[in-house]
Each structure stands twice: as structure tokens, then as C-alpha cells.
Amino acid sequence: MENNSPQSASDKIPFWRDIRVLRVLFQVSFLIGVILLAGILYTNMLRGLRGLGLTLNLDFLNDEAGFGIAEGIAYEPSDAYLRAFWVGVVNTLRVSVIGIVCATILGLVIGIARLSSNWLVRNIAAIYVECFRNIPLLLQILFWYTAVILQLPSVRESFTFFGGVFINQRGVYLPSPQPTSGVKIWIGCLAVGFIFALALYLVRLRKLRQMEQPGFAAKWALPAFLLVAILGWFLIPGKPFTLELPALKGFNFAGGIYFSPEFAALLIGLVIYTGAFIAEVVRSGIQSVAKGQWEAAKAIGLSEFQTLRLVILPQALRVIAPPLTSQYLNLTKNSSLAVAIGFPDLFNVGNTMMNQTGQSIPIFAMIMMSYLFISLTTSAYMNWYNRRINRIGR
Amino acid sequence: MADLENTSEDSIIICEDVHKWFDDFHVLKGVTTAFKRGEKVVICGPSGSGKSTLIRTINRLEVHQRGRIVVDGIELSDDLRNIERIRQEVGMVFQQFNLFPHLTVLQNVTLSPVWVKKVAKSEAESEALALLERVGIEEHAHKFPAQISGGQQQRVAIARALAMQPKIMLFDEPTSALDPEMINEVLDVMRELAASGMTMLVVTHEMGFAREVADRIIFIDEGAIVEEAVPAAFFDNPQHERTQLFISQTLQH
């Protein structure tokens, strides 16, 4: 036993006990398993397609779609399938982007309200969160669509605001700005103002750098640009834009910006549902900041609002950002529930295309890739943002 | 008010029968005392005796439920304006430093002058740098709190409190969270501050500091003042049995 020196050479270990060998071995066998499974699925799919007399190609995308799409960017039924698909993508993006912005604002307000010292505010926020978080989203969207929006007054009895905003069961009509002949001069004016503002911005930025101070670098540039824009607006003969008001023509309104009842119901449903989750994310983020931070901020005389804005939220954001990303992704993906109320989003249009062409596999792949692309872009942005806020003070 | 005005000639803080409950727990049981302008008072007592709670009621981090507290002629009430004014006159240093981790040392110090007193940023910065020099950390002005030691952080916290030019400084166990070798650098800053004539209320277990700097020592147990005396009398001739026990236990180590 005395001669039994510690094993130094690794070659004495049999390979089935050697961690380094096992590590590689497991990974290789896992990879082989994945490839085999993918191969089986692929051959199975090809066999199925042969049975249906279909081949895998994307030529059908150039064929005439032949079906109408209720809203979105310019599109005619005589356009190609690819264009129809693109209309769906843009509609999904539109509802997602507006939804994310609104849900963030709503969630922030409700999340802070849940921590309010005001009993009523705190409990109303809690009831909101508990109700909307615990009812299926599909149900909520159908509720907003059938029980609220479709019950709005008829076209002739529309709710009217400021003489230009009309809300009725056919949707929401807003005035839209229309460019006039003066618009080019005004844009020129803006360009000059922009160059002027940029110079001011750079001057102030350099000054802040010299003083080694954090500060709002656009403090001079922004008002200067706005001033030029406003002066230009009033001094140029003829206004650069006129407001086109929606006008009642026959049985419906024409002109202006239009949101369909389907869009409104989907947006409201997504915002209110996701807002409840974001509120919880915000609340937990704020609660993660140590109590001592509140006390220190109070002790140096900051008001409640200043404490929240200058001390608590910047620290809470580090905790909030990662789960917030998940909520943004959820909102985007949940927008595919549009199919239930007939809003022509990516999935809905894709579904129609599948029914017409029978090309379910390529279209499914296109839909999946589109969602994947939107989600990964959102993720990449949020990860960059997260890294940026985490770099400070660590 | 008549008697208050008489005493407020030289008293900057007056506590009259201050009571405080945490739910059912009676933390402060009728504390009555006054602090003179420029006085340095060390408050000591066993843990849980209510000494921290007492100084936290003075800038309204804790709300007292009975009695009155008057700070520099302003009574602490539910009046928001009074609370705001008192917080500008009273600086506080915490056991856990409570620096803002997302701001640099300099930003920690200028935050309140810039946002509360609306001092111009450049002016606030030069004043902050002077304060940081006074506490001996001007070379770390652009670091973040996590990048400096505990003792340095606590000195920044003192500078941050001083930046509001308070008339009174409250210290809530300022050295209790520090490694032993860092305690003195913080006590030195506090000694210097005491010599400058600042009114100071210090909750601490540093009995050496108390004997050296304090004008008066208040011993609190179970939410009430048991004994108050000048340091020499307090340490050498304690009157009360509980004070004697506390002193013998503290001075053993």
C-alpha cells in the first residue's frame, strides 16, 4: 500500500469512466439521434406529398391569389399569393408593435399602482391583474369583439369626438393628414432645421463631455428643431398638410385613417391581457430593489416620484427586462388568435392560402419562419438593451 | 407653544412623550428629550431597544403615533411640506450605506442638490467634489459604489448627506457593517464633522468614540430612556442597574 502513489496519467482511466470521453460521446450520440429523427420525418413528409400528387416548390407564390383581404396595405385579389402573405405579415407587425407599446405603458402604470399606499388604487390594480391574467386570451378577444365592439352604435349614430373621430360598430375612423403643394417647401425647411439642431446637439454633447456630466444632450437641439418646424408651418404660404376628415358617404364613412372592429378587438384584448402580466413583472422588479434605497432617497429629500424615477426604476429595469422580453414575444405570438375574429393577420392569410393551394407544408414553414424572425429580432434588441443597462454600475 | 418657544432658543430637536408601535409591539414608550444646537449625542442600548427607531422618527422614516417631535421649529406632522423641509435639514447615514449602485460616487452626492434644491449641475459638482475631498475620496469620484470598499462607501454616504447642507446629522450604526480595519476611517470623518460644530445624533456601539466625542450619552432600553449623562459620568458612575450591566458587557471586549 505504501507504493500506491496517486494516479497521474490519465490513460489509466478506462474510457467508460473518463468524464472527458463520456462528455463527447453523449453529445455525438445525441446529435446522431436528432439527425435520424429529422430524416425519418422528412422522408415521411415526402411520401405523404407524393401520395397527394404535390411537389415541394414555391412557384405557386406567383399565382393570382384571388381572395380579398379586408384591411392592410394596398392589395387587390388579382395580386400574387406572395403579396397576400406580405399583407398578413404587415398586419401582424402592426398589431404587435402598437400592442407592445400600449401594453408596456399600461403594465408600468398598473405595476406601480399595485404598490401604491392608496388602498383603493392598490386594490383596483390587483383586481385588474387577477381578472385578466386568469381568463383565456381567446375568450377575452371574442368578448371585446362580440360583446363590446359589435354592440357599438350603428354608422349613423356614431360616437363623435372633436368632429373628426368617429367610433361605431364598423370600426374607428380618424382624420388623416394629406400633403398639399406646400409640403416640399416645409420638408426643405425641416432639413435646414435638422442640420441646425444637429450642430447644437454636437456642441452641447462636447460641452457635457468636457464637464464629464451626464445630461440631456438634445436639450437645445430638440426645442430648436421644433421651433423651426413650427415657424415653417405658419410662415409657408398654404399649410403643408390638410386634415382629411372621414365623411359619411352612403352607408359608411370614407376617407381618413380606419381601424376595423377586428383590429380594435384584437389590440384591446392583447394589450389588456399582456398588460396584466407586464404589471406583475414591473411589480416584482420594483420590489427587488432593497428597502434601504427608498429610505436613502427619502432621507436626502427626494419626492416619491423622483425616488421612483431616479433611484428605483433604473435598478428595477435590470430585473424587469428579461421577463419583459418574454411578454413581448408572447404578445406577438398570441396575435395569431386573430383568426378567431377574422382579422387578416399572418396566420389567418396563410390559412386561407393553404385552403386554396393545398401547399400546407411550404406555407406552414413560411408562417413559422415569419414568427421566428419577428421574435428573434425582438429578442436580439431586448438582449442588447439588457446588456446595456447591466453594464452600468456593475 | 409657549414652553416650546422658550426651549427652542437652544434646542434644535425636541421630543415629547414619543410613542411608536409596530403593530402590537410597543417600540418607543414615551421618549422625552431635547437636543441642543451643535450638541453631539451618542444613543446606545441593547439591540431591539428602540434606539434606531428613535432617530428614524426624527426624519420621519418612521411615523410616531403619539407625542410630538419638533425639529428646528418645524413640527413633524402629516403635513407634506413640513416633512419635505425637515428632510432637507436632517441628513442621515445608514448602517448599510444605501448608496445608489447605478450612479457614480459623484452622481450619488449631486443627485439631491440638483433635483431637490435645483442647484446648477456644475455648481453641485464642484461642491460635491469639495465634500468628497473633505471625506478623503475625491480620487474615486467617477467610480461606482461597487468598485470601492465599505469604509469608502460609508464616507461617500456621509458626503451625500452633507451635500444638502443639513443642520443635523443622524447616524444609524454607521460602522456596524464595516470590516474592523475600516471602522476608524469612518470615525475619523465623524470626529472631523463633530469638531466643525455639526449637531449629531449617533447610534453606535463604539464606546471609545462615544467617550471621546459625545457631549452626552443616552442609554435606551425597552423603548424608554433609562439614563442620560455626560460620558465621564456615564461610563465611570452609571446610576442605573441596567446601564451598569450594559457597560460591563460592552467594555469586556
Side-chain angles (χ1 to χ4, degrees):
Chain A
M1 289 300 274
E2 281 148 27
N3 294 332
N4 202 354
S5 61
Q7 283 187 340
S8 54
S10 56
D11 53 11
K12 282 185 186 166
I13 310 173
F15 77 91
W16 62 87
R17 285 209 323 254
D18 189 332
I19 291 174
R20 288 161 305 175
V21 176
L22 289 178
R23 211 177 273 153
V24 175
L25 209 64
F26 279 131
Q27 293 195 32
V28 169
S29 48
F30 183 71
L31 188 67
I32 292 171
V34 170
I35 291 171
L36 277 178
L37 191 67
I40 292 169
L41 290 175
Y42 184 71
T43 47
N44 183 47
M45 179 185 79
L46 286 184
R47 197 182 321 117
L49 283 174
R50 253 200 316 277
L52 290 169
L54 289 170
T55 48
L56 265 189
N57 68 59
L58 295 171
D59 295 341
F60 71 93
L61 285 176
N62 296 320
D63 297 347
E64 185 182 309
F67 63 92
I69 297 178
E71 64 183 299
I73 53 172
Y75 166 83
E76 294 295 329
S78 57
D79 285 340
Y81 277 115
L82 190 62
R83 177 71 183 177
F85 189 79
W86 180 241
V87 175
V89 171
V90 173
N91 278 341
T92 289
L93 281 175
R94 193 161 65 125
V95 78
S96 301
V97 170
I98 299 176
I100 283 173
V101 172
C102 296
T104 307
I105 295 168
L106 182 68
L108 191 65
V109 171
I110 301 290
I112 292 170
R114 279 210 73 177
L115 297 169
S116 166
S117 52
N118 183 318
W119 184 90
L120 191 65
V121 168
R122 189 173 63 233
N123 282 287
I124 287 177
I127 291 170
Y128 160 77
V129 168
E130 292 310 337
C131 284
F132 288 102
R133 199 167 63 139
N134 293 313
I135 296 172
L137 177 56
L138 178 60
L139 210 61
Q140 291 189 38
I141 290 173
L142 286 171
F143 169 79
W144 292 115
Y145 185 57
T146 57
V148 178
I149 294 187
L150 292 187
Q151 307 307 319
L152 285 169
S154 67
V155 173
R156 297 206 171 269
E157 291 155 357
S158 298
F159 291 134
T160 310
F161 301 96
F162 315 113
V165 178
F166 301 93
I167 297 175
N168 58 48
Q169 57 184 217
R170 297 250 186 105
V172 179
Y173 301 80
L174 304 171
S176 76
Q178 296 291 330
T180 63
S181 55
V183 75
K184 278 180 187 159
I185 313 172
W186 191 60
I187 287 172
C189 189
L190 285 189
V192 174
F194 180 77
I195 292 165
F196 178 56
L198 190 69
L200 277 179
Y201 176 82
L202 291 175
V203 166
R204 181 164 161 80
L205 195 68
R206 214 177 64 189
K207 206 176 153 196
L208 285 174
R209 288 260 167 78
Q210 272 170 3
M211 296 193 298
E212 295 187 329
Q213 282 176 4
F216 187 43
K219 195 176 174 181
W220 303 338
L222 215 58
F225 182 72
L226 288 177
L227 189 73
V228 172
I230 293 166
L231 279 179
W233 182 281
F234 287 107
L235 293 181
I236 291 167
K239 299 278 171 287
F241 288 96
T242 52
L243 274 187
E244 185 196 59
L245 296 182
L248 197 57
K249 279 181 191 153
F251 294 111
N252 208 344
F253 284 96
I257 299 170
Y258 168 68
F259 293 109
S260 69
E262 292 78 24
F263 179 84
L266 182 65
L267 185 67
I268 293 171
L270 287 172
V271 164
I272 288 185
Y273 179 78
T274 316
F277 283 93
I278 292 179
E280 285 299 275
V281 168
V282 168
R283 180 175 71 105
S284 64
I286 290 176
Q287 282 178 330
S288 75
V289 178
K291 201 168 133 252
Q293 294 287 310
W294 285 95
E295 292 183 346
K298 277 188 194 171
I300 58 171
L302 295 181
S303 71
E304 196 106 336
F305 179 73
Q306 286 172 331
T307 303
L308 202 57
R309 189 189 138 197
L310 300 169
V311 176
I312 305 301
L313 281 182
Q315 296 183 60
L317 265 184
R318 294 173 180 170
V319 180
I320 291 173
L324 189 62
T325 310
S326 305
Q327 292 308 326
Y328 287 175
L329 301 180
N330 279 347
L331 188 145
T332 309
K333 290 177 292 179
N334 286 340
S335 72
S336 60
L337 289 173
V339 74
I341 53 173
F343 175 73
D345 80 322
L346 167 54
F347 180 63
N348 197 353
V349 172
N351 212 15
T352 311
M353 283 166 59
M354 278 189 263
N355 288 338
Q356 291 204 2
T357 61
Q359 295 280 5
S360 50
I361 287 166
I363 294 173
F364 254 122
M366 282 167 67
I367 297 173
M368 285 177 180
M369 301 276 268
S370 302
Y371 279 116
L372 202 60
F373 179 77
I374 297 172
S375 293
L376 289 180
T377 311
T378 312
S379 269
Y381 171 76
M382 290 301 287
N383 287 342
W384 168 82
Y385 177 74
N386 197 25
R387 266 200 309 280
R388 207 187 59 150
I389 55 175
N390 270 310
R391 223 177 18 228
I392 302 167
R394 285 289 155 94
Chain B
M1 279 306 275
D3 58 325
L4 267 178
E5 268 153 29
N6 286 337
T7 47
S8 69
E9 281 300 310
D10 55 347
S11 291
I12 193 165
I13 305 170
I14 299 160
C15 299
E16 273 183 4
D17 192 35
V18 175
H19 285 264
K20 164 83 190 166
W21 285 264
F22 286 125
D23 296 324
D24 288 341
F25 182 51
H26 201 170
V27 201
L28 295 179
K29 300 172 184 167
V31 174
T32 302
T33 187
F35 302 93
K36 291 195 194 75
R37 226 170 266 279
E39 195 181 17
K40 292 99 187 88
V41 180
V42 164
I43 300 167
C44 58
S47 60
S49 60
K51 53 192 192 306
S52 285
T53 309
L54 175 65
I55 70 165
R56 286 160 61 87
T57 56
I58 289 169
N59 69 347
R60 200 89 170 165
L61 284 184
E62 303 290 355
V63 179
H64 61 284
Q65 284 121 341
R66 214 168 83 198
R68 338 184 329 115
I69 298 176
V70 181
V71 178
D72 201 24
I74 309 163
E75 173 156 9
L76 269 175
S77 60
D78 289 327
D79 186 342
L80 264 181
R81 208 180 56 186
N82 282 4
I83 298 172
E84 265 170 38
R85 278 163 64 200
I86 284 172
R87 286 194 177 143
Q88 294 193 27
E89 297 203 355
V90 180
M92 181 148 191
V93 175
F94 300 86
Q95 183 177 352
Q96 300 295 342
F97 331 135
N98 295 349
L99 291 182
F100 307 130
H102 61 298
L103 301 177
T104 63
V105 164
L106 188 64
Q107 288 167 338
N108 263 279
V109 180
T110 57
L111 188 70
S112 184
V114 168
W115 287 91
V116 180
K117 286 203 167 164
K118 313 288 181 197
V119 178
K121 207 164 212 171
S122 52
E123 198 181 320
E125 301 223 326
S126 60
E127 277 168 23
L129 284 171
L131 279 173
L132 289 175
E133 198 177 334
R134 184 171 167 192
V135 300
I137 18 189
E138 68 277 17
E139 72 267 31
H140 301 303
H142 297 288
K143 289 188 181 166
F144 286 98
Q147 297 167 316
I148 59 178
S149 75
Q152 289 167 335
Q153 287 189 48
Q154 192 61 299
R155 286 186 280 152
V156 173
I158 294 173
R160 179 177 69 179
L162 290 176
M164 288 299 276
Q165 295 165 331
K167 294 180 179 165
I168 302 158
M169 284 285 282
L170 308 175
F171 292 86
D172 188 2
E173 305 202 23
T175 55
S176 300
L178 291 174
D179 291 339
E181 75 270 21
M182 292 171 184
I183 289 177
N184 260 324
E185 62 185 62
V186 172
L187 291 182
D188 282 342
V189 170
M190 291 168 64
R191 283 189 192 100
E192 188 269 328
L193 195 60
S196 76
M198 175 68 73
T199 309
M200 290 165 67
L201 271 60
V202 186
V203 171
T204 187
H205 299 293
E206 295 294 327
M207 289 303 138
F209 175 83
R211 191 189 275 270
E212 178 195 333
V213 174
D215 297 318
R216 176 161 53 119
I217 296 179
I218 295 180
F219 177 68
I220 292 187
D221 193 15
E222 292 179 357
I225 294 178
V226 176
E227 187 161 348
E228 41 187 326
V230 295
F234 182 83
F235 287 111
D236 304 331
N237 188 21
Q239 300 299 306
H240 207 282
E241 199 181 316
R242 272 186 288 174
T243 323
Q244 288 162 5
L245 182 68
F246 178 77
I247 290 171
S248 68
Q249 283 171 342
T250 340
L251 295 187
Q252 269 168 10
H253 40 220

